[in-house]
Amino acid sequence: MLLPFIAVFIGTKTSDATWTPKLALDLEGGTQIILTPVTTDGRQPTSEDITQAINVIRQRVDGSGVAEAEISSQGGSNIVVAIPGKASEETIAAVSRSSHMEFRPVLVEDYAITAQPSADPSADPSAGPSADPSAEPTSAPTAGESAEPSPTQSSDTTADATDDESAPATAEPTEQPTERPTAQPSDAASQEPSPAATAPSEPTSASDKAYWVTDEVQAQFDALDCTDPANLAGGVSGDPDKAFVACGVDSDGNSSMLKYILGPVEIDGSEISSAGSGLETLANGAIGSRWIVNMEFTSKGAKEFSDVTTRLASLTTPQNQFAMVLDGLVISAPSVDKTIPNGKAQISGSFNQTTAASLANRLSFGSLPLNFEVQSEQQISATLGTEQLQKGLLAGVIGLLLVVVYSLIQYRALGLLTVASLIVAATLTFGVIALLSWTQGYRLSLPGVAGLIVAIGITADSFIVYFERIRDELREGRTLGAAVERGWARARRTILASDAVNLIAAIVLYFLAVGGVRGFAFTLGLTTVIDVIVVFLFTHPVMELIAKTRFFNEGHAASGLDPRRLGVPGTRYVGRGKVAMGRREDTEPGEGSLTAEVRTPVASGVGGRGDGLTIAQRKAAERAAQQRLAQDPVADAPTDDATGDAPAEGSER
């Protein structure tokens, strides 16, 4: 329970963490930005463009750590972005900038941190562009990249691609093979002298590393640390006609632990006509189990892509890779093993459904021909405000007090365990929300407060189920220790089943709903998980401890386990042919202890159904009593209730 608070405490000393959760737009207010999409080709934005632009902005806002933001269309032409709290300049810039996708050839690939960059790049320039990139990337990074996407023809054009491939392989490569061997050895030769000394006056292609990797570019590459979050912000694209140094990122926007030197832009992202993800289609028409990304170019892009893949397929790693650069960051760098002449590429690798969809979405975002103009930026007040938050918290306090009052009336001293468990659950929930507010940007909205209020009843229900199971076991004649053990075994199945239903409902609601409803679903699911933790790690262990105390074990009248209030029968079978006659010997009004007088059932004459005996034991006791009565009618005659003597002859009872 203390772990969230320890983490937040450390965060307050080392970072910007606070002890109070951040509030959402409806409770705190924030910044409202109105954007107008403008197409780069001069046409009027369509509704599909607006929808895709909203998806772009939502991904940027979520990626910047801002939660509970509201993004909507206004009049079909503007986009309204409302961000909780005071939006930073970086967030506003990320929201308003346009996405730009470009395809560049990979010249050098290396780890995110260079082991020992040269202090003077001109001293030994061959160590950077040639020795390290040619050795390390081909052994370690490229081995990892081989499991990453590798483009091939899409399944529906495999036959055509095979047929058409023969022409490019013999016709177009008539120039390419003569150029590539001259370009490739120049890379190997560049390992000896410096690139500046042997750099040709004109590049043979965009993959000519000897020309593009200058001393200045190599120095930038050596100094680039792609584990630094500041270098993963992106947003800056290099000169399309020059080499460019960039970091790689994964589907979550984190460092892919690789960095690149890239050649000039060969294909602009606007030439992507469509991108999507799905399971691969096998040659026999069946659906495979591997997730892939399908990408299709326009007619112009298809011609450019065919030329690029023809050249790259003849090169060695990592120069046979092409980098997809979005906002200055490499989102993927698949290798090419054959010419792709029809503009339909299939990227395969170690994808799952989420990562494949993420890459497809990024390709679509980068191809969107839109820029955003900021029309206005202003601070807005809370839509509900502090008053509504206070009323919501007041409702929660009232609900909590009602649960406490009910528990104390119904369970007396045992109800104090319910109160303690609720306090532990509330404290743990507050700590987790404060931690998420700091680390994940979570913001508490009014629907989230409603989820916390509902959780009070869910948590109290678990305790009620547990206590009632214990009382049921006591009614069956078991001792408190045995009742706690058996009651817990029966109650935990019910508690887990109930919480599982609540958790499933919260998960479904979270993924299907939007806006504030997701805040309600999140807090509902969070408190359900915390309820299980508290019941298993606090309520049950404490119950086992207090069951060993004399106050509860002897069934004190104020303990909530008083046999008279529970309806425990006065006589119960305790094994080995004996029954326990329960009675209370009061020493003072309202106080006493439960004692038991043990008798053999054959002498008890018990015949009631509430005696705790089995049917066979009850019949045996009845037969024994009848036999004794037949042998000695006076000895077993009923006694007077008041005096304990036999009733006088002729008297009526």
Side-chain angles (χ1 to χ4, degrees):
M1 187 181 74
L2 296 177
L3 291 179
F5 294 95
I6 295 175
V8 174
F9 174 77
I10 296 175
T12 58
K13 301 300 182 182
T14 61
S15 183
D16 58 349
T18 60
W19 288 107
T20 57
K22 297 177 182 178
L23 300 179
L25 193 66
D26 56 349
L27 299 176
E28 184 182 12
T31 304
Q32 185 184 74
I33 307 171
I34 299 180
L35 304 174
T36 299
V38 179
T39 59
T40 56
D41 53 8
R43 63 181 177 84
Q44 188 69 20
T46 64
S47 58
E48 289 78 10
D49 293 337
I50 299 297
T51 301
Q52 196 169 10
I54 291 176
N55 292 333
V56 172
I57 296 173
R58 188 180 302 279
Q59 186 180 48
R60 291 175 182 173
V61 171
D62 293 343
S64 64
V66 177
E68 296 288 343
E70 296 180 1
I71 307 172
S72 60
S73 174
Q74 183 184 66
S77 59
N78 292 334
I79 298 175
V80 179
V81 182
I83 301 174
K86 176 64 176 178
S88 63
E89 293 297 330
E90 292 78 8
T91 302
I92 296 176
V95 168
S96 58
R97 77 168 184 260
S98 60
S99 291
H100 184 67
M101 170 76 71
E102 54 191 23
F103 293 82
R104 293 174 178 259
V106 175
L107 302 178
V108 175
E109 180 187 62
D110 202 352
Y111 293 108
I113 304 178
T114 303
Q116 185 62 45
S118 175
D120 183 8
S122 62
D124 187 13
S126 62
S130 300
D132 288 344
S134 61
E136 291 187 2
T138 52
S139 58
T142 305
E145 189 68 24
S146 64
E148 292 293 319
S150 61
T152 61
Q153 287 76 10
S154 60
S155 57
D156 58 344
T157 59
T158 302
D160 294 337
T162 305
D163 296 336
D164 295 340
E165 213 172 7
S166 59
T170 56
E172 281 194 21
T174 54
E175 296 182 24
Q176 301 287 352
T178 59
E179 294 180 356
R180 295 285 63 74
T182 59
Q184 198 69 17
S186 68
D187 299 334
S190 65
Q191 297 179 8
E192 297 298 332
S194 67
T198 61
S201 58
E202 294 293 335
T204 57
S205 70
S207 298
D208 188 352
K209 185 170 70 174
Y211 177 85
W212 297 110
V213 182
T214 63
D215 291 345
E216 180 182 359
V217 172
Q218 184 65 45
Q220 295 175 2
F221 179 75
D222 291 339
L224 182 62
D225 179 8
C226 290
T227 60
D228 185 356
N231 293 327
L232 302 178
V236 179
S237 296
D239 189 330
D241 298 324
K242 295 182 179 180
F244 181 59
V245 176
C247 294
V249 294
D250 57 20
S251 60
D252 297 325
N254 301 316
S255 174
S256 65
M257 302 308 295
L258 291 172
K259 59 181 179 179
Y260 303 87
I261 298 179
L262 309 175
V265 176
E266 296 200 275
I267 307 174
D268 192 80
S270 60
E271 300 301 331
I272 301 176
S273 61
S274 64
S277 63
L279 293 173
E280 66 175 339
T281 302
L282 304 179
N284 58 3
I287 302 298
S289 59
R290 189 172 60 167
W291 285 93
I292 60 171
V293 176
N294 293 311
M295 178 175 58
E296 185 172 352
F297 290 90
T298 62
S299 57
K300 177 185 176 183
K303 176 63 171 63
E304 295 173 342
F305 194 59
S306 176
D307 295 339
V308 171
T309 55
T310 299
R311 184 185 75 247
L312 297 182
S314 65
L315 301 179
T316 58
T317 302
Q319 290 178 270
N320 66 338
Q321 300 172 227
F322 68 94
M324 305 173 185
V325 185
L326 178 62
D327 292 344
L329 298 173
V330 178
I331 61 173
S332 182
S335 59
V336 179
D337 56 7
K338 63 179 67 174
T339 301
I340 304 176
N342 53 12
K344 295 182 179 180
Q346 175 180 295
I347 306 174
S348 59
S350 56
F351 287 125
N352 54 37
Q353 183 177 6
T354 302
T355 56
S358 176
L359 179 58
N361 288 336
R362 289 187 172 194
L363 292 173
S364 299
F365 295 162
S367 65
L368 187 66
L370 289 179
N371 293 326
F372 302 110
E373 294 182 356
V374 180
Q375 295 297 321
S376 66
E377 176 189 338
Q378 60 182 352
Q379 292 297 120
I380 57 175
S381 60
T383 56
L384 296 176
T386 307
E387 182 181 357
Q388 297 296 327
L389 175 61
Q390 292 174 348
K391 290 182 179 180
L393 295 177
L394 178 61
V397 171
I398 293 175
L400 182 61
L401 290 177
L402 292 176
V403 171
V404 170
V405 172
Y406 169 81
S407 298
L408 295 178
I409 294 176
Q410 178 70 15
Y411 298 108
R412 299 195 179 185
L414 189 61
L416 295 176
L417 179 56
T418 301
V419 176
S421 299
L422 286 173
I423 293 175
V424 171
T427 304
L428 183 58
T429 301
F430 180 85
V432 172
I433 290 179
L435 179 62
L436 293 176
S437 181
W438 167 48
T439 58
Q440 303 297 323
Y442 172 77
R443 289 180 176 268
L444 186 63
S445 62
L446 192 61
V449 174
L452 297 177
I453 296 174
V454 173
I456 296 175
I458 296 175
T459 305
D461 180 67
S462 299
F463 308 146
I464 292 174
V465 170
Y466 183 26
F467 295 158
E468 288 300 325
R469 291 294 192 188
I470 294 175
R471 298 172 85 172
D472 287 342
E473 297 298 327
L474 291 175
R475 292 186 183 98
E476 294 180 4
R478 292 182 176 85
T479 62
L480 181 57
V484 169
E485 181 180 355
R486 290 179 59 87
W488 171 245
R490 298 172 60 187
R492 67 186 176 193
R493 293 194 298 266
T494 305
I495 293 172
L496 289 175
S498 175
D499 285 342
V501 172
N502 291 329
L503 184 60
I504 292 173
I507 293 174
V508 172
L509 188 61
Y510 181 83
F511 285 103
L512 296 184
V514 295
V517 180
R518 299 187 69 184
F520 171 82
F522 178 82
T523 53
L524 182 63
L526 175 65
T527 51
T528 300
V529 174
I530 291 177
D531 173 43
V532 176
I533 295 174
V534 171
V535 171
F536 275 74
L537 301 183
F538 179 79
T539 308
H540 174 56
V542 172
M543 186 66 213
E544 288 183 319
L545 292 177
I546 66 175
K548 299 176 182 179
T549 63
R550 182 177 180 182
F551 178 81
F552 287 95
N553 193 31
E554 294 183 354
H556 192 280
S559 67
L561 301 175
D562 184 3
R564 292 178 298 182
R565 294 187 68 246
L566 297 180
V568 177
T571 304
R572 66 183 188 276
Y573 179 70
V574 295
R576 296 187 178 181
K578 298 180 180 180
V579 294
M581 307 294 294
R583 68 180 186 274
R584 182 168 297 283
E585 298 176 348
D586 295 328
T587 56
E588 294 182 7
E591 296 183 0
S593 59
L594 183 66
T595 61
E597 178 183 356
V598 179
R599 299 180 181 177
T600 57
V602 295
S604 63
V606 179
R609 293 191 177 184
D611 51 16
L613 301 178
T614 64
I615 296 177
Q617 293 165 347
R618 190 180 301 115
K619 290 182 177 180
E622 291 175 352
R623 288 195 298 269
Q626 291 175 356
Q627 292 175 358
R628 289 175 59 86
L629 183 62
Q631 296 174 359
D632 190 0
V634 177
D636 285 338
T639 59
D640 186 74
D641 292 337
T643 63
D645 299 327
E649 185 176 354
S651 64
E652 296 182 0
R653 294 183 58 86

Short mmCIF file of all heavy atoms in Angstrom, two decimals, residues 102-108 205-209 211-213 217 238-246 260-267 311 319 321-323 325:
data_model
loop_
_atom_site.label_atom_id
_atom_site.label_comp_id
_atom_site.label_asym_id
_atom_site.label_seq_id
_atom_site.Cartn_x
_atom_site.Cartn_y
_atom_site.Cartn_z
N GLU A 102 8.44 11.14 -45.44
CA GLU A 102 9.37 11.07 -46.56
C GLU A 102 10.14 9.76 -46.48
O GLU A 102 10.31 9.17 -45.40
CB GLU A 102 10.34 12.26 -46.54
CG GLU A 102 11.08 12.44 -45.23
CD GLU A 102 11.82 13.77 -45.14
OE1 GLU A 102 11.41 14.70 -45.86
OE2 GLU A 102 12.78 13.87 -44.36
N PHE A 103 10.59 9.31 -47.65
CA PHE A 103 11.33 8.06 -47.75
C PHE A 103 12.77 8.39 -48.15
O PHE A 103 13.01 9.02 -49.19
CB PHE A 103 10.70 7.13 -48.79
CG PHE A 103 9.35 6.63 -48.39
CD1 PHE A 103 8.22 7.40 -48.58
CD2 PHE A 103 9.20 5.38 -47.82
CE1 PHE A 103 6.96 6.94 -48.22
CE2 PHE A 103 7.95 4.91 -47.44
CZ PHE A 103 6.83 5.69 -47.64
N ARG A 104 13.70 7.94 -47.33
CA ARG A 104 15.12 8.18 -47.57
C ARG A 104 15.88 6.85 -47.52
O ARG A 104 15.53 5.96 -46.71
CB ARG A 104 15.71 9.12 -46.52
CG ARG A 104 15.19 10.55 -46.54
CD ARG A 104 15.74 11.32 -45.35
NE ARG A 104 15.33 12.71 -45.32
CZ ARG A 104 16.09 13.74 -45.70
NH1 ARG A 104 17.32 13.52 -46.16
NH2 ARG A 104 15.65 14.98 -45.62
N PRO A 105 16.93 6.69 -48.31
CA PRO A 105 17.75 5.47 -48.22
C PRO A 105 18.62 5.51 -46.97
O PRO A 105 19.08 6.58 -46.55
CB PRO A 105 18.59 5.52 -49.50
CG PRO A 105 18.70 6.98 -49.81
CD PRO A 105 17.39 7.59 -49.38
N VAL A 106 18.86 4.35 -46.39
CA VAL A 106 19.72 4.24 -45.20
C VAL A 106 21.17 4.13 -45.66
O VAL A 106 21.51 3.27 -46.48
CB VAL A 106 19.33 3.04 -44.34
CG1 VAL A 106 20.30 2.87 -43.18
CG2 VAL A 106 17.91 3.19 -43.82
N LEU A 107 22.02 5.00 -45.13
CA LEU A 107 23.45 4.95 -45.42
C LEU A 107 24.22 4.28 -44.29
O LEU A 107 25.11 3.47 -44.52
CB LEU A 107 24.00 6.36 -45.66
CG LEU A 107 23.34 7.17 -46.78
CD1 LEU A 107 23.95 8.55 -46.87
CD2 LEU A 107 23.44 6.44 -48.11
N VAL A 108 23.91 4.67 -43.06
CA VAL A 108 24.58 4.11 -41.87
C VAL A 108 23.53 3.84 -40.81
O VAL A 108 22.60 4.63 -40.62
CB VAL A 108 25.64 5.10 -41.33
CG1 VAL A 108 26.24 4.56 -40.03
CG2 VAL A 108 26.73 5.36 -42.35
N SER A 205 24.32 8.05 -56.75
CA SER A 205 22.91 7.83 -56.41
C SER A 205 22.67 8.36 -55.01
O SER A 205 23.59 8.83 -54.33
CB SER A 205 22.56 6.34 -56.48
OG SER A 205 23.19 5.63 -55.42
N ALA A 206 21.42 8.25 -54.55
CA ALA A 206 21.10 8.67 -53.19
C ALA A 206 21.71 7.74 -52.15
O ALA A 206 21.74 8.06 -50.97
CB ALA A 206 19.58 8.73 -53.01
N SER A 207 22.20 6.58 -52.58
CA SER A 207 22.82 5.62 -51.67
C SER A 207 24.34 5.71 -51.68
O SER A 207 25.01 4.85 -51.10
CB SER A 207 22.39 4.19 -52.04
OG SER A 207 21.00 4.03 -51.90
N ASP A 208 24.91 6.73 -52.32
CA ASP A 208 26.36 6.86 -52.40
C ASP A 208 26.89 7.40 -51.07
O ASP A 208 26.94 8.60 -50.83
CB ASP A 208 26.72 7.81 -53.55
CG ASP A 208 28.22 7.84 -53.82
OD1 ASP A 208 28.97 7.24 -53.02
OD2 ASP A 208 28.63 8.46 -54.82
N LYS A 209 27.29 6.50 -50.20
CA LYS A 209 27.72 6.90 -48.86
C LYS A 209 29.00 7.73 -48.90
O LYS A 209 29.18 8.65 -48.09
CB LYS A 209 27.93 5.65 -47.99
CG LYS A 209 28.28 5.97 -46.55
CD LYS A 209 28.24 4.74 -45.67
CE LYS A 209 29.38 3.81 -46.00
NZ LYS A 209 29.44 2.66 -45.05
N TYR A 211 29.80 9.98 -50.89
CA TYR A 211 29.51 11.38 -51.20
C TYR A 211 28.72 12.05 -50.08
O TYR A 211 29.01 13.18 -49.68
CB TYR A 211 28.73 11.46 -52.51
CG TYR A 211 28.33 12.88 -52.88
CD1 TYR A 211 29.21 13.71 -53.56
CD2 TYR A 211 27.07 13.37 -52.53
CE1 TYR A 211 28.86 15.01 -53.87
CE2 TYR A 211 26.71 14.68 -52.84
CZ TYR A 211 27.60 15.49 -53.52
OH TYR A 211 27.25 16.78 -53.82
N TRP A 212 27.69 11.35 -49.54
CA TRP A 212 26.74 12.00 -48.63
C TRP A 212 27.25 12.07 -47.19
O TRP A 212 26.91 12.99 -46.46
CB TRP A 212 25.39 11.27 -48.66
CG TRP A 212 24.72 11.31 -50.00
CD1 TRP A 212 24.55 10.27 -50.86
CD2 TRP A 212 24.16 12.46 -50.63
NE1 TRP A 212 23.90 10.68 -52.00
CE2 TRP A 212 23.65 12.03 -51.88
CE3 TRP A 212 24.03 13.80 -50.30
CZ2 TRP A 212 23.02 12.90 -52.77
CZ3 TRP A 212 23.41 14.66 -51.18
CH2 TRP A 212 22.92 14.22 -52.39
N VAL A 213 28.06 11.11 -46.77
CA VAL A 213 28.53 11.08 -45.39
C VAL A 213 29.80 11.92 -45.28
O VAL A 213 30.91 11.43 -45.46
CB VAL A 213 28.77 9.64 -44.90
CG1 VAL A 213 29.20 9.65 -43.43
CG2 VAL A 213 27.52 8.80 -45.06
N VAL A 217 28.45 15.57 -41.20
CA VAL A 217 27.35 14.62 -40.96
C VAL A 217 27.80 13.54 -39.98
O VAL A 217 27.05 13.15 -39.07
CB VAL A 217 26.88 14.00 -42.29
CG1 VAL A 217 25.89 12.88 -42.03
CG2 VAL A 217 26.26 15.07 -43.18
N GLY A 238 14.94 17.36 -42.19
CA GLY A 238 16.12 17.95 -42.78
C GLY A 238 15.89 18.40 -44.21
O GLY A 238 14.81 18.21 -44.79
N ASP A 239 16.90 18.99 -44.76
CA ASP A 239 16.87 19.41 -46.16
C ASP A 239 16.65 18.18 -47.03
O ASP A 239 17.41 17.20 -46.94
CB ASP A 239 18.20 20.09 -46.51
CG ASP A 239 18.16 20.75 -47.88
OD1 ASP A 239 17.43 20.25 -48.76
OD2 ASP A 239 18.86 21.76 -48.07
N PRO A 240 15.63 18.19 -47.88
CA PRO A 240 15.34 16.99 -48.68
C PRO A 240 16.44 16.63 -49.66
O PRO A 240 16.47 15.50 -50.17
CB PRO A 240 14.04 17.36 -49.40
CG PRO A 240 14.00 18.84 -49.39
CD PRO A 240 14.66 19.26 -48.13
N ASP A 241 17.34 17.57 -49.96
CA ASP A 241 18.40 17.31 -50.93
C ASP A 241 19.74 17.00 -50.28
O ASP A 241 20.75 16.94 -50.98
CB ASP A 241 18.56 18.53 -51.85
CG ASP A 241 17.30 18.81 -52.65
OD1 ASP A 241 16.63 17.84 -53.04
OD2 ASP A 241 16.98 20.00 -52.87
N LYS A 242 19.75 16.82 -48.95
CA LYS A 242 20.99 16.54 -48.25
C LYS A 242 20.82 15.32 -47.35
O LYS A 242 19.72 14.86 -47.10
CB LYS A 242 21.42 17.75 -47.42
CG LYS A 242 21.77 18.98 -48.25
CD LYS A 242 22.24 20.12 -47.35
CE LYS A 242 22.62 21.34 -48.17
NZ LYS A 242 23.08 22.47 -47.30
N ALA A 243 21.95 14.83 -46.86
CA ALA A 243 21.92 13.73 -45.90
C ALA A 243 21.30 14.22 -44.59
O ALA A 243 21.34 15.42 -44.28
CB ALA A 243 23.31 13.18 -45.66
N PHE A 244 20.76 13.28 -43.84
CA PHE A 244 20.01 13.64 -42.63
C PHE A 244 20.30 12.61 -41.55
O PHE A 244 20.34 11.40 -41.81
CB PHE A 244 18.51 13.68 -42.95
CG PHE A 244 17.64 14.06 -41.78
CD1 PHE A 244 17.80 15.26 -41.13
CD2 PHE A 244 16.64 13.19 -41.33
CE1 PHE A 244 16.99 15.62 -40.06
CE2 PHE A 244 15.83 13.53 -40.27
CZ PHE A 244 16.01 14.75 -39.63
N VAL A 245 20.53 13.09 -40.32
CA VAL A 245 20.78 12.23 -39.17
C VAL A 245 19.50 12.17 -38.34
O VAL A 245 18.92 13.21 -38.00
CB VAL A 245 21.94 12.77 -38.32
CG1 VAL A 245 22.12 11.92 -37.06
CG2 VAL A 245 23.22 12.79 -39.13
N ALA A 246 19.04 10.96 -38.01
CA ALA A 246 17.75 10.81 -37.32
C ALA A 246 17.80 9.64 -36.37
O ALA A 246 18.59 8.70 -36.51
CB ALA A 246 16.63 10.62 -38.32
N TYR A 260 20.42 6.63 -37.37
CA TYR A 260 20.67 6.47 -38.80
C TYR A 260 21.32 7.71 -39.40
O TYR A 260 21.08 8.84 -38.95
CB TYR A 260 19.36 6.21 -39.55
CG TYR A 260 18.58 5.02 -39.06
CD1 TYR A 260 17.66 5.14 -38.02
CD2 TYR A 260 18.73 3.77 -39.65
CE1 TYR A 260 16.93 4.05 -37.57
CE2 TYR A 260 18.01 2.68 -39.21
CZ TYR A 260 17.12 2.82 -38.17
OH TYR A 260 16.39 1.74 -37.73
N ILE A 261 22.12 7.48 -40.46
CA ILE A 261 22.46 8.51 -41.42
C ILE A 261 21.70 8.17 -42.70
O ILE A 261 21.85 7.06 -43.23
CB ILE A 261 23.98 8.58 -41.70
CG1 ILE A 261 24.74 8.92 -40.42
CG2 ILE A 261 24.28 9.62 -42.78
CD1 ILE A 261 26.26 8.99 -40.62
N LEU A 262 20.91 9.09 -43.16
CA LEU A 262 20.02 8.85 -44.30
C LEU A 262 20.44 9.71 -45.48
O LEU A 262 20.95 10.82 -45.31
CB LEU A 262 18.57 9.15 -43.92
CG LEU A 262 18.05 8.49 -42.64
CD1 LEU A 262 16.65 8.99 -42.32
CD2 LEU A 262 18.07 6.97 -42.78
N GLY A 263 20.18 9.19 -46.66
CA GLY A 263 20.43 9.94 -47.87
C GLY A 263 19.33 10.94 -48.14
O GLY A 263 18.40 11.10 -47.34
N PRO A 264 19.37 11.63 -49.26
CA PRO A 264 18.33 12.62 -49.60
C PRO A 264 16.98 11.95 -49.85
O PRO A 264 16.89 10.74 -50.07
CB PRO A 264 18.88 13.28 -50.86
CG PRO A 264 19.80 12.27 -51.45
CD PRO A 264 20.41 11.54 -50.30
N VAL A 265 15.93 12.76 -49.80
CA VAL A 265 14.57 12.25 -50.00
C VAL A 265 14.41 11.76 -51.43
O VAL A 265 14.77 12.45 -52.38
CB VAL A 265 13.54 13.35 -49.69
CG1 VAL A 265 12.13 12.84 -50.01
CG2 VAL A 265 13.64 13.79 -48.25
N GLU A 266 13.87 10.56 -51.57
CA GLU A 266 13.61 10.00 -52.89
C GLU A 266 12.12 9.91 -53.20
O GLU A 266 11.73 9.98 -54.37
CB GLU A 266 14.25 8.61 -53.01
CG GLU A 266 15.77 8.64 -52.91
CD GLU A 266 16.41 7.41 -53.50
OE1 GLU A 266 16.52 6.41 -52.76
OE2 GLU A 266 16.79 7.44 -54.68
N ILE A 267 11.28 9.73 -52.17
CA ILE A 267 9.83 9.67 -52.38
C ILE A 267 9.18 10.47 -51.27
O ILE A 267 9.51 10.31 -50.09
CB ILE A 267 9.30 8.22 -52.35
CG1 ILE A 267 10.07 7.33 -53.32
CG2 ILE A 267 7.82 8.18 -52.68
CD1 ILE A 267 9.70 5.86 -53.24
N ARG A 311 17.39 -0.40 -57.15
CA ARG A 311 18.75 -0.09 -56.72
C ARG A 311 19.07 -0.71 -55.36
O ARG A 311 20.13 -1.31 -55.17
CB ARG A 311 18.94 1.42 -56.66
CG ARG A 311 20.37 1.83 -56.32
CD ARG A 311 20.53 3.33 -56.13
NE ARG A 311 19.99 3.78 -54.85
CZ ARG A 311 18.94 4.56 -54.71
NH1 ARG A 311 18.28 4.99 -55.78
NH2 ARG A 311 18.50 4.93 -53.51
N GLN A 319 22.60 -0.69 -46.44
CA GLN A 319 22.26 0.20 -47.54
C GLN A 319 21.15 -0.35 -48.43
O GLN A 319 20.72 0.34 -49.36
CB GLN A 319 23.50 0.50 -48.38
CG GLN A 319 24.50 1.40 -47.66
CD GLN A 319 25.75 1.63 -48.48
OE1 GLN A 319 26.71 0.88 -48.40
NE2 GLN A 319 25.73 2.67 -49.29
N GLN A 321 18.28 -0.86 -47.14
CA GLN A 321 17.10 -0.45 -46.38
C GLN A 321 16.65 0.94 -46.82
O GLN A 321 17.47 1.77 -47.21
CB GLN A 321 17.40 -0.43 -44.88
CG GLN A 321 17.83 -1.77 -44.30
CD GLN A 321 18.30 -1.65 -42.87
OE1 GLN A 321 19.35 -2.17 -42.50
NE2 GLN A 321 17.56 -0.93 -42.05
N PHE A 322 15.34 1.17 -46.75
CA PHE A 322 14.82 2.52 -46.95
C PHE A 322 14.07 2.92 -45.69
O PHE A 322 13.34 2.13 -45.09
CB PHE A 322 13.91 2.61 -48.19
CG PHE A 322 12.61 1.88 -48.08
CD1 PHE A 322 11.46 2.52 -47.65
CD2 PHE A 322 12.52 0.54 -48.42
CE1 PHE A 322 10.26 1.86 -47.55
CE2 PHE A 322 11.32 -0.14 -48.33
CZ PHE A 322 10.19 0.52 -47.90
N ALA A 323 14.29 4.15 -45.25
CA ALA A 323 13.74 4.63 -43.99
C ALA A 323 12.47 5.42 -44.25
O ALA A 323 12.41 6.27 -45.15
CB ALA A 323 14.75 5.50 -43.26
N VAL A 325 10.46 8.20 -42.72
CA VAL A 325 10.74 9.27 -41.78
C VAL A 325 9.49 10.11 -41.60
O VAL A 325 8.99 10.71 -42.56
CB VAL A 325 11.91 10.15 -42.26
CG1 VAL A 325 12.27 11.18 -41.20
CG2 VAL A 325 13.12 9.29 -42.61
#
